[in-house]
Amino acid sequence: MATGCAARRRPSPERGFSLVELILVMAIAGILAAVAVPRLIGRNSFDTRGFADQLAATARFAQKLAIAQRRDVFLQTSTTTATLCYLATVPCPVASRAPGPGGEKPFTISAPDGVAIASPVAVLGFDAAGRPDTAAQLDIQVNGAGTHHVRVEQETGYVHD
């Protein structure tokens, strides 16, 4: 019986991936996802939403500044910028520009590329009590990839989107 030596088979090589190979493939896929996906999807929708939030925060700050300083504060908008001013005249005179939350003067926010303000009102004023000076609800549209609204209520001056 010669089954002892002849019956032993050579071990066949295992099939599959090693742990090192799997980690390397996952690392390369992660790098590609971090670099390629934002370029494929685009940032315009994120920029539009971010600028709408920034515009709403600026309107809230204008209202709070008017209440704190007990004077009129105006948010002047163009298609690409929003600026705080103590006068309603457009453009705002240099001496009448209002400071921002960090003391920067003038306080102006600019829309990113591809985003524009489509506002029916170019100047929104808040009186010393924080009430807006518009006769109806103001609706500022921020256009980009989609439309986002920044609304200011007439009676309370509440800013929301």
Side-chain angles (χ1 to χ4, degrees), residues 1-102:
M1 292 211 199
T3 59
C5 284
R8 289 188 188 176
R9 293 185 197 171
R10 296 181 99 193
S12 63
E14 296 291 326
R15 296 188 180 203
F17 299 102
S18 70
L19 185 61
V20 173
E21 291 170 327
L22 286 174
I23 291 174
L24 186 62
V25 168
M26 288 174 54
I28 291 172
I31 291 170
L32 286 175
V35 173
V37 171
R39 292 177 189 247
L40 293 174
I41 292 175
R43 292 184 37 145
N44 204 5
S45 62
F46 295 109
D47 288 344
T48 302
R49 180 62 197 186
F51 185 69
D53 291 344
Q54 190 177 18
L55 186 60
T58 302
R60 285 184 198 105
F61 179 73
Q63 180 190 31
K64 292 179 188 327
L65 186 65
I67 293 169
Q69 294 186 355
R70 294 193 173 126
R71 64 186 296 186
D72 292 346
V73 175
F74 298 91
L75 175 64
Q76 299 179 353
T77 60
S78 68
T79 57
T80 58
T81 62
T83 304
L84 294 182
C85 188
Y86 291 123
L87 297 176
T89 57
V90 177
C92 182
V94 176
S96 298
R97 294 179 180 166

